Amino acid sequence: PSLKKRPMLIQLMGYPEDVDDSEYQNEDVQPDWSAVLDRLATHSEEASVVEDGYYPLDDALWIEHEPIEAATLIRLLRAFPKALTELSFEIASENSTLTPQIWKILRGADVNSCYAKKRSVLVQLMGFPPYFEDNDYDQSEVVPDWEAVRKRLITHPEEAKVAEGGCHPLADALWIEYESVPIDVVQTMMRVAPESLTDTAFENASDNDYLDADILRLMFTFDGEQQSVATTEQTTDEESFIKVEIALPEPTRDE
């Protein structure tokens, strides 16, 4: 019997013809984006074909050797808008070869802002990129505005409690080397969000050679105070427990 073939659109992206052939690496996929565009012009319905939960859009975003071009991405999105899903953004976020223009198109196509998640204003003021999917940055690109951060903590203290990707703003602040976080900002963050004092926060502080040495001492002091308060409250709760004896009525016997 003949083997099931992938749509020609996918084959032109460089994927094997046989749908059962999954023995390939990213570098093996050699796309012909010009041919893909031509195929979409005559067979746009192929943009809606799903294979194992992946649309052609997802397959295109996965390719690193010759990353997708803007014209092809626009045509794929217009041919079948529903192909843009949370999975698409996850795949794109793992592909460091995608250009800023590609990301701009993806976020624009997310018309209801369902998938392009923004970092909190507090974290953005620390110098981190606006969008959570943008993780392609290094220390030198993170330039904080600590005065603006101080003001934001006053007007929106709840943002210090938000853990984005499991990481609180305190841990993010302690990671920054260029213009390292001032001690008063650390103190404020711990005060408004005690839960942000995590192992990750301690690790980031200990790894940061540019950080004020007193900051780690402050963190351990605050942590000790919090644990002491928790222990005291637990003891108080136990001591305030009063055993109440309820007098039950004497059982009656039917005559």
Side-chain angles (χ1 to χ4, degrees), residues 84 106-114:
L84 186 65
L106 285 173
R107 288 162 183 153
D110 181 23
V111 293
N112 295 316
S113 299
C114 296

Side-chain angles (χ1 to χ4, degrees), residues 31-46:
D32 183 343
W33 295 122
S34 178
V36 169
L37 265 179
D38 291 341
R39 184 69 181 180
L40 283 168
T42 57
H43 296 77
S44 60
E45 72 281 356
E46 290 185 2

Side-chain angles (χ1 to χ4, degrees), residues 4-17:
K4 185 178 179 181
K5 295 181 180 180
R6 287 186 169 91
M8 181 55 65
L9 180 67
I10 304 299
Q11 293 183 48
L12 292 172
M13 290 183 191
Y15 289 90
E17 177 182 344

Side-chain angles (χ1 to χ4, degrees), residues 122-123 126 146 159-162 167-176 181 185-191 193-198 200-202 204-205 215 219 222:
L122 179 65
V123 175
M126 291 182 200
W146 294 121
E159 290 187 7
K161 300 175 179 290
V162 179
C167 190
H168 288 85
L170 175 61
D172 290 327
L174 293 166
W175 176 83
I176 298 170
V181 59
V185 173
V186 174
Q187 190 169 28
T188 302
M189 285 186 175
M190 291 191 299
R191 179 169 53 80
E195 66 272 25
S196 67
L197 194 60
T198 62
T200 301
F202 278 98
N204 286 357
I215 287 181
M219 292 168 64
F222 185 84

Side-chain angles (χ1 to χ4, degrees), residues 202-213:
F202 278 98
E203 289 168 8
N204 286 357
S206 63
D207 286 339
N208 192 340
D209 295 333
Y210 298 88
L211 208 62
D212 186 333

Side-chain angles (χ1 to χ4, degrees), residues 82 84-87 89 110 112-117 133:
K82 291 181 180 179
L84 186 65
T85 64
E86 185 174 359
L87 178 61
F89 276 85
D110 181 23
N112 295 316
S113 299
C114 296
Y115 314 118
K117 300 174 184 177
E133 296 84 6

